[in-house]
Amino acid sequence: MKYYSTNKQAPLADLRKAVVKGLAEDKGLYMPETIHRLPQEFFDNIQDISFQDIAYNVASAFFGEDVELDALQEIVYDTLRFDCPVAKITDNIYSLELFHGPTLAFKDVGARFMARLLRYFIRMEDEEQVNVLVATSGDTGSAVANGFLGVEGIHVYVLYPKGKVSPIQECQFTTLGQNITAIEIDGVFDDCQALVKSAFMDKELNQHMKLTSANSINVARFLPQAFYYFNAYARMKEQGLANQLVMCVPSGNFGNICSALFGHRMGLPIKRFIAANNSNDIFYNYLLTGKYEPRPSIQTLANAMDVGDPSNFARIYDLYNGSHEQITKLISGATYNDQQIRETMRECFAETGYILDPHGACGYRALKEGLKKEEIGVFCETAHPAKFKEKVDEILSIDIEIPERLAAFMKGEKKSVPMSKDFADFKKYLMSR
Ligand SMILES: *Cc1c(COP(=O)(O)O)cnc(C)c1O
């Protein structure tokens, strides 16, 4: 399979190049040339198939031409060592819990899959060590660090802003050791991101070491998220509830919902989609006006969705040939401010006993307000509420229990390399490695 750039000014790439490079030469995002429809038979029987086997079928359609099937199956099985259950919240609203991975966030699937696919290519090509640079405000760093932990041939550098990530998040990437190095930057998240960007553009550094990125622009990170949606459909069909399914995705960079739309293109029978935003409502406004107008992000309670220029918008736009009409026919939007997020978390907890995290709250509310009476809605609960313990406890006046898996990280010894936000310092450090 060949991959083209959404900017159409770069040469076609094979999967290996798309994964190793991340972004195309013209700064566009890679898109597969063909999106295969899965056979009707697969959908007819999907309710009898496990999450792992559903994922293997979907992965074969994406990557089967470029990865040996035995190896691909192993990559999928090794990635998905956990489940993705659907929980009933009200008569017509269900929560797709994407937080059962090692760091309790949905990004675990993409990060683990990418790590294993990259290792496969390194082994095949007998490549030198690959170095992954990732800037994080919290969630991405923990998912990527844990996804790549112990994977031979790859070293990960996680850059995070000093004092700006929650203690639970910090433990998830500073206590791992092995091939994971945490770098504590004396600055804010934007400084971390700027350092990573400068590193990719620095010729001397790129001659010294092979660098790649692991954010959701990478096809190996965002496409595997489609597994979730096929599984959601299967688990709802199992209960005879899949005829008029509405899928609602709390969105920031729009990688997650974009993978769901790929699923739809492959034949997944979802009736329509809702993209739920916090106050960062760039996509919502695009739906209303047909104009895409990025803005600097605003800080909110649902901070993993604080994105002012969602990178995967380019993929969605490309998928529907830039047709605002096609996009609005299939996808609607919603936007909620912090006050509404709080209100929704309280209301849902009081009425149903279900503890939403601030991201999932946007999804739940969009369904509550937007479902028609014949429809059944499924929203993605993208993080375990305990990951946002300080906020959730305060809003709901509870003392939410920290799951064993999270607590285990907090027992480890925190190790990080202190660094200024000056690129010269960062470069000197990497050149010495
Ligand atoms: C990353 C993230 C999101 C947003 O997902 P996108 O793919 O960037 O749209 C939502 N919720 C949580 C908890 C996240 O970590």
Side-chain angles (χ1 to χ4, degrees):
M1 176 94 70
K2 293 281 186 246
Y3 289 78
Y4 65 90
S5 161
T6 50
N7 286 343
K8 317 258 160 66
Q9 305 292 320
L12 294 176
D14 59 11
L15 177 64
R16 184 188 150 278
K17 180 176 167 189
V19 173
V20 172
K21 282 192 57 78
L23 206 61
E25 289 90 339
D26 61 0
K27 308 265 183 281
L29 277 67
Y30 283 118
M31 292 281 282
E33 268 200 318
T34 317
I35 300 173
H36 297 295
R37 271 189 93 82
L38 291 172
Q40 188 52 44
E41 191 192 4
F42 171 69
F43 294 110
D44 288 344
N45 301 315
I46 195 167
Q47 68 281 358
D48 301 322
I49 313 177
S50 70
F51 179 32
Q52 289 76 8
D53 283 328
I54 289 171
Y56 173 58
N57 274 280
V58 176
S60 306
F62 286 140
F63 307 119
E65 294 168 22
D66 303 292
V67 182
E68 285 162 28
L69 289 180
D70 286 357
L72 186 59
Q73 186 167 32
E74 203 181 306
I75 291 171
V76 170
Y77 277 66
D78 196 32
T79 296
L80 301 180
R81 293 182 175 211
F82 41 85
D83 261 330
C84 172
V86 176
K88 181 171 181 172
I89 314 298
T90 70
D91 280 345
N92 57 354
I93 301 181
Y94 289 71
S95 166
L96 177 64
E97 296 182 343
L98 307 187
F99 56 68
H100 293 275
T103 77
L104 310 187
F106 84 83
K107 293 185 175 73
D108 283 329
V109 162
R112 288 170 68 82
F113 188 92
M114 181 184 162
R116 282 149 189 79
L117 190 61
L118 200 52
R119 176 180 57 187
Y120 170 81
F121 285 128
I122 291 172
R123 279 190 184 156
M124 289 280 291
E125 312 272 324
D126 209 16
E127 294 218 31
E128 56 187 307
Q129 173 170 293
V130 175
N131 300 280
V132 173
L133 300 184
V134 60
T136 186
S137 53
D139 251 17
T140 304
S142 47
V144 169
N146 281 275
F148 283 79
L149 180 65
V151 175
E152 62 193 83
I154 306 176
H155 198 98
V156 177
Y157 297 91
V158 181
L159 284 74
Y160 70 102
K162 182 177 175 178
K164 306 263 181 342
V165 301
S166 81
I168 294 180
Q169 288 175 324
E170 191 173 1
C171 289
Q172 288 182 301
F173 51 80
T174 56
T175 59
L176 300 170
Q178 299 184 54
N179 60 330
I180 311 297
T181 303
I183 303 184
E184 185 176 40
I185 303 295
D186 195 2
V188 294
F189 170 69
D190 292 337
D191 297 317
C192 301
Q193 195 147 38
L195 285 174
V196 169
K197 281 192 180 151
S198 302
F200 286 130
M201 288 187 304
D202 191 278
K203 258 206 171 117
E204 196 186 359
L205 193 55
N206 282 274
Q207 276 160 7
H208 174 70
M209 64 205 305
K210 196 164 206 162
L211 297 175
T212 188
S213 83
N215 56 25
S216 71
I217 56 159
N218 199 301
V219 289
R221 242 201 77 189
F222 102 89
L223 279 175
Q225 292 169 168
F227 304 161
Y228 287 138
Y229 298 94
F230 286 86
N231 186 61
Y233 175 76
R235 305 292 72 96
M236 294 305 283
K237 190 165 180 240
E238 223 170 13
Q239 305 176 56
L241 296 170
N243 286 335
Q244 298 221 33
L245 267 192
V246 177
M247 202 68 234
C248 179
V249 187
S251 296
N253 239 331
F254 280 71
N256 199 9
I257 193 166
C258 189
S259 75
L261 297 170
F262 270 70
H264 184 256
R265 184 62 63 86
M266 294 165 83
L268 185 64
I270 304 281
K271 183 182 166 194
R272 62 187 184 95
F273 295 85
I274 304 175
N277 281 156
N278 57 23
S279 293
N280 294 278
D281 56 1
I282 289 84
F283 185 77
Y284 180 79
N285 286 328
Y286 165 77
L287 293 175
L288 289 183
T289 65
K291 294 200 191 85
Y292 179 73
E293 296 175 323
R295 273 185 278 114
S297 63
I298 310 164
Q299 201 174 353
T300 76
L301 275 173
N303 63 3
M305 288 155 48
D306 293 349
V307 182
D309 185 4
S311 30
N312 286 290
F313 178 78
R315 283 197 169 109
I316 297 176
Y317 194 76
D318 189 88
L319 197 57
Y320 300 102
N321 298 315
S323 162
H324 182 252
E325 192 192 337
Q326 277 190 48
I327 292 176
T328 50
K329 232 177 173 172
L330 185 63
I331 313 167
S332 57
T335 169
Y336 301 111
N337 61 30
D338 279 0
Q339 186 47 39
Q340 292 172 308
I341 291 174
R342 280 200 187 88
E343 208 175 86
T344 307
M345 289 169 66
R346 289 194 188 117
E347 197 185 282
C348 177
F349 185 58
E351 286 171 5
T352 73
Y354 195 75
I355 302 174
L356 292 165
D357 96 294
H359 306 81
C362 298
Y364 173 79
R365 180 152 178 166
L367 286 178
K368 204 136 195 230
E369 292 179 350
L371 275 183
K372 303 190 180 90
K373 76 173 183 314
E374 67 279 11
E375 294 173 334
I376 301 275
V378 177
F379 70 97
C380 295
E381 181 43 293
T382 46
H384 192 292
K387 285 199 87 168
F388 301 91
K389 179 171 171 58
E390 300 87 359
K391 293 170 185 168
V392 173
D393 281 359
E394 184 257 313
I395 293 166
L396 300 181
S397 307
I398 56 173
D399 180 11
I400 190 172
E401 199 181 321
I402 298 186
E404 181 51 41
R405 231 173 313 154
L406 269 189
F409 285 112
M410 299 178 81
K411 290 186 196 124
E413 188 198 347
K414 188 191 136 180
K415 267 199 200 133
S416 59
V417 180
M419 184 93 49
S420 79
K421 60 183 179 189
D422 190 356
F423 179 62
D425 286 343
F426 183 48
K427 180 174 172 181
K428 191 169 154 214
Y429 170 76
L430 288 179
M431 290 297 287
S432 72
R433 304 279 297 176

